[in-house]
Amino acid sequence: MSKLDVDITGSPTEIKMTRVFDAPRRLVLKAMTTPELVKRWLGGKRATVTDATCDFRVGGTYRNVFCTLDGYEFAFTGTYLEITDERIVHSERFNDDPGEARVTITLTEHAGKTTMVSVMAFPTQEIRDTVVATGMSDGAGESYDVLEKLLANL
């Protein structure tokens, strides 16, 4: 069972996910922004990341290409809008869909553990509800479980 807490009650256009990792913030950040490491955890059991790029700076872009177990290929792309020690804000687009989400990730470290709060803000409730219906929270939970194991070995 995943340790991911998902909340869609705070706003009709947002998904809020919270997860505590047993690792310092610097390692969580490294695993989330280093392409070779992203390929090892993102996608969980449902998909493999076949290509990952990351220009981790304000104005820089990222792209993660996934291939599911049944051969479906898709990508998430975006631009970094804000980067501080504790907060990353970036855009996120699925394939070439016109709707773009704004993702705010806050990483707070206490006693060697890092609490990640990720808020995905969508242009409309309809888009948010479509994303929820895909089972993305289960996939995210699986990915973060794999990330937890990876962090233990970094």
Side-chain angles (χ1 to χ4, degrees):
M1 182 172 179
S2 176
K3 302 173 193 170
L4 182 66
D5 177 44
V6 180
D7 181 8
I8 60 170
T9 63
S11 163
T13 59
E14 293 181 349
I15 300 171
K16 179 181 177 183
M17 297 183 291
T18 304
R19 170 74 188 243
V20 177
F21 295 102
D22 189 12
R25 178 178 45 226
R26 66 178 175 74
L27 287 183
V28 175
L29 185 61
K30 179 179 179 178
M32 295 177 109
T33 59
T34 304
E36 298 77 28
L37 297 176
V38 168
K39 287 177 158 183
R40 292 173 55 188
W41 68 268
L42 192 58
K45 300 173 189 174
R46 298 168 185 234
T48 301
V49 175
T50 58
D51 184 38
T53 59
C54 178
D55 180 10
F56 189 60
R57 62 180 176 83
V58 173
T61 60
Y62 70 91
R63 180 172 188 259
N64 297 314
V65 179
F66 297 76
C67 185
T68 64
L69 299 177
D70 60 358
Y72 175 65
E73 192 170 275
F74 62 95
F76 284 98
T77 59
T79 301
Y80 293 103
L81 306 170
E82 178 185 333
I83 298 172
T84 67
D85 287 344
E86 291 188 351
R87 180 175 145 116
I88 303 164
V89 180
H90 63 83
S91 63
E92 182 172 278
R93 182 180 307 273
F94 174 75
N95 287 336
D96 293 325
D97 288 354
E100 188 172 80
R102 180 181 178 99
V103 181
T104 301
I105 299 170
T106 305
L107 301 170
T108 306
E109 183 178 342
H110 180 72
K113 295 184 181 210
T114 302
T115 300
M116 178 203 73
V117 177
S118 176
V119 178
M120 301 177 73
F122 298 91
T124 67
Q125 182 174 354
E126 179 182 17
I127 294 172
R128 192 279 313 256
D129 290 349
T130 299
V131 171
V132 170
T134 67
M136 70 76 67
S137 63
D138 291 336
E142 289 174 7
S143 290
Y144 293 139
D145 289 346
V146 176
L147 174 56
E148 179 78 40
K149 291 175 185 169
L150 174 65
L151 290 168
N153 294 311
L154 289 182

